[in-house]
């Protein structure tokens, strides 16, 4: 791995031996967690912007690519392996930055951005007149990396330090050691909870599991509404869980049948040792039983996070993946509410905004019946992007549910 740094000023005496340059790693096997996201793209749109000149963005992208294979930005994929070609980075940077067609903007256009991105590129930056979009191959990384790439390409500042903070090693062993070896009682708690858990199988109508189309509806929760929701949930339940219950109620009120089980995306970086992070995919969907009610579900979720159940579930899933059968051919016709929170987008605040910023994110929901509300806070406002299969759910209906969610989330909660 090559870490970019400033060379010390001054001549080096002839008798002082120079340290041999470390070779650039140019290929490797795609990690199992990254392969789980094969075929999925994350698309982000930011508006309104004073869009930088194309040559400025190309230069910023080139800097990202040159940080080395461990920074991931320059990787391309060949089946289960990745490649990094130092000699092709300049041409790659030129290909990555493209114009943004008007038909690929807004709620209706952003889901189609994935089809406009070249299949061999790790990510693509699209520049429009008053907005910019980025589409990332999910094998490269999760929402954390997509935010860092956006910041690195568009802010006009140095690349975020996380790109040069360390080698691209599998974070799972460190997270498991920090969580379970240092706290052995947690492993026992995970096993006991798993054995005691009894999930009622879904017995309602089903539909074909194959996704037909990807659609998107977005909305913005005003700062005061978001503060009121945060104050309501503080000390009671995690805000993401409150959002899941609010999403479920909003869907129910507009007539969408909803399952009694939802899912929260958990960022497993929380289990890494202090000061450690990763650019790789390190998130997992954690199932939540909604039948006990909000407070009981909140207590259960908080305990699950504490003992490390989401981390243990990912490890177990990767170990048993080779033995598992292919995905189901049928899924429930009822919607499964999913909430994924990207947190505070502080890295994007320095972008050249031309007004009150709006963030849209499009991503394939987990399962055809999944309705995913992806949330992110920018400048004190909560941005909500609801992704769903447009062939299964009516767009106007999902728009009405999203409007309820953004205007009065507290009114949707018990």
């Amino acid at each position: 791995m090559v870490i970019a740094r400033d060379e010390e000023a001054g001549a080096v005496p002839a008798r002082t031996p120079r340290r041999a340059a470390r070779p650039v790693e140019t290929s490797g096997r795609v990690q199992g967690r990254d392969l789980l996201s094969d075929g999925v793209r994350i698309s982000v749109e930011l508006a309104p912007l004073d869009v930088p000149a194309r040559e400025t963005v190309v230069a910023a992208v080139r800097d990202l690519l040159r940080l080395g294979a461990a920074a991931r930005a320059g990787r391309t994929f060949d089946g289960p392996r990745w490649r990094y070609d130092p000699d092709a980075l300049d041409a790659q940077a030129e290909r990555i930055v493209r114009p943004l067609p008007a038909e690929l903007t807004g709620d209706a256009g952003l889901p189609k951005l994935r089809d406009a991105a070249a299949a061999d590129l790790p990510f693509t930056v699209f520049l429009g007149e008053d907005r910019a979009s980025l589409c990332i191959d999910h094998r490269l990384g999760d929402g954390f990396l997509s935010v860092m790439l956006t910041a690195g390409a568009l802010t006009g500042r140095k690349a975020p330090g996380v790109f040069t903070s360390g080698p691209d090693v599998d974070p799972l062993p460190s997270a498991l050691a920090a969580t379970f070896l240092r706290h052995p009682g947690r492993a026992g708690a995970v096993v006991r909870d798993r054995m005691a858990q009894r999930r009622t199988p879904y017995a309602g109508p089903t539909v074909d599991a194959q996704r037909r189309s990807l659609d998107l509806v977005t909305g913005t929760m005003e700062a005061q509404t978001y503060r009121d929701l945060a104050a309501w949930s503080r000390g009671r339940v995690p805000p993401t869980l409150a959002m899941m219950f609010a999403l479920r109620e909003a869907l129910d009120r507009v007539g969408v049948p909803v399952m009694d089980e939802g899912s929260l995306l958990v960022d497993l970086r929380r289990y890494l040792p202090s000061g450690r992070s990763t650019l790789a995919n390190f998130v997992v969907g954690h199932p939540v039983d909604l039948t006990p009610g909000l407070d009981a579900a909140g207590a259960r979720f908080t305990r699950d996070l504490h003992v490390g159940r989401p981390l243990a579930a990912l490890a177990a899933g990767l170990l048993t993946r080779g033995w598992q059968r292919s995905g189901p051919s049928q899924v429930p016709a009822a919607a499964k509410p999913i909430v994924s929170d990207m947190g505070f987008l502080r890295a994007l605040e320095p972008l050249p905004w031309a007004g009150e910023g709006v963030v849209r994110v499009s991503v394939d929901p987990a399962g055809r019946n999944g309705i995913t509300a992806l949330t992110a806070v920018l400048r004190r406002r909560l941005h909500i992007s609801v992704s769903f299969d447009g062939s299964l759910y009516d767009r106007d209906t999902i728009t009405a549910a999203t409007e309820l969610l953004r205007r009065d989330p507290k009114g949707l909660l018990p």
Side-chain angles (χ1 to χ4, degrees):
M1 182 195 69
V2 174
I3 297 180
R5 63 183 178 88
D6 294 328
E7 296 293 340
E8 294 181 2
V12 179
R15 65 178 180 274
T16 303
R18 285 187 178 272
R19 192 181 308 172
R22 298 180 65 182
V24 176
E25 190 177 13
T26 57
S27 66
R29 184 168 294 278
V30 179
Q31 295 178 1
R33 285 170 292 99
D34 295 327
L35 281 176
L36 294 176
S37 299
D38 190 11
V40 178
R41 296 262 177 167
I42 305 171
S43 299
V44 181
E45 179 185 278
L46 308 169
L49 292 177
D50 290 324
V51 180
R54 182 182 184 277
E55 56 269 23
T56 301
V57 179
V58 170
V61 168
R62 188 181 296 118
D63 289 343
L64 288 172
L65 304 187
R66 287 175 173 170
L67 291 175
R72 290 191 163 233
R75 291 185 182 185
T76 58
F77 297 97
D78 182 11
R81 298 188 64 81
W82 60 264
R83 292 187 297 182
Y84 180 81
D85 186 354
D87 295 329
L89 298 183
D90 287 350
Q92 188 170 312
E94 290 287 348
R95 291 183 61 217
I96 281 175
V97 183
R98 300 175 49 186
L100 176 61
E103 63 270 19
L104 300 182
T105 62
D107 289 2
L110 186 60
K112 304 172 187 174
L113 197 69
R114 55 173 293 154
D115 299 321
D120 65 314
L121 291 177
F123 68 101
T124 309
V125 180
F126 296 85
L127 303 179
E129 291 187 3
D130 65 343
R131 65 196 60 219
S133 295
L134 181 137
C135 185
I136 174 176
D137 189 319
H138 208 332
R139 286 175 294 179
L140 198 67
D142 52 39
F144 174 76
L145 180 57
S146 70
V147 171
M148 293 300 107
L149 287 172
T150 304
L154 297 173
T155 60
R157 300 185 176 186
K158 283 184 63 176
V162 69
F163 285 108
T164 57
S165 62
D168 186 49
V169 297
D170 188 349
L172 188 56
S174 294
L176 291 172
T179 304
F180 297 116
L181 291 185
R182 294 183 186 176
H183 308 279
R186 293 180 179 178
V190 168
V191 173
R192 288 192 298 271
D193 289 351
R194 184 67 183 89
M195 293 179 63
Q197 187 180 45
R198 294 291 183 268
R199 293 162 72 176
T200 304
Y202 176 81
T206 61
V207 295
D208 183 75
Q210 187 66 37
R211 273 196 295 266
R212 308 290 174 80
S213 67
L214 180 61
D215 210 339
L216 177 71
V217 170
T218 64
T220 303
M221 188 181 296
E222 293 303 324
Q224 187 58 52
T225 305
Y226 173 65
R227 283 196 295 267
D228 290 344
L229 176 64
W232 181 92
S233 63
R234 190 176 300 119
R236 182 177 181 183
V237 296
T240 51
L241 189 71
M243 283 295 293
M244 173 182 286
F245 271 80
L247 173 62
R248 182 200 190 198
E249 178 64 20
L251 293 169
D252 184 65
R253 290 191 186 184
V254 298
V256 177
V258 191
M259 292 180 64
D260 288 329
E261 180 182 291
S263 181
L264 290 176
L265 201 72
V266 176
D267 190 333
L268 300 178
R269 292 171 181 84
R270 66 188 298 129
Y271 297 110
L272 287 170
S274 179
R276 173 84 184 275
S277 189
T278 180
L279 293 170
N281 285 291
F282 208 37
V283 295
V284 67
H286 186 67
V288 176
D289 183 3
L290 305 176
T291 54
L294 179 61
D295 292 301
R300 172 79 270 174
F301 180 61
T302 299
R303 173 179 164 78
D304 286 349
L305 288 183
H306 174 70
V307 301
R309 277 194 70 179
L311 181 65
L314 175 66
L318 291 172
L319 287 173
T320 61
R321 186 172 50 145
W323 311 333
Q324 295 172 352
R325 295 176 297 178
S326 57
S329 60
Q330 298 285 309
V331 295
K336 181 177 183 178
I338 304 169
V339 173
S340 172
D341 181 36
M342 295 178 71
F344 292 84
L345 303 182
R346 294 188 179 92
L348 300 186
E349 290 182 359
L351 261 65
W353 298 103
E356 196 72 66
V358 173
V359 179
R360 292 181 172 89
V361 184
S362 172
V363 66
D364 299 79
R368 188 185 179 201
N369 66 320
I371 297 182
T372 296
L374 191 147
T375 60
V377 178
L378 178 68
R379 294 182 172 180
R380 300 180 299 279
R381 299 197 304 165
L382 184 74
H383 300 258
I384 306 169
S385 298
V386 181
S387 295
F388 59 99
D389 188 327
S391 69
L392 188 59
Y393 302 110
D394 176 69
R395 179 180 179 81
D396 290 342
T397 303
I398 302 302
T399 299
T402 304
E403 190 69 7
L404 287 173
L405 188 63
R406 80 165 191 88
R407 283 187 175 276
D408 186 21
K410 283 176 56 181
L412 298 169
L413 295 169

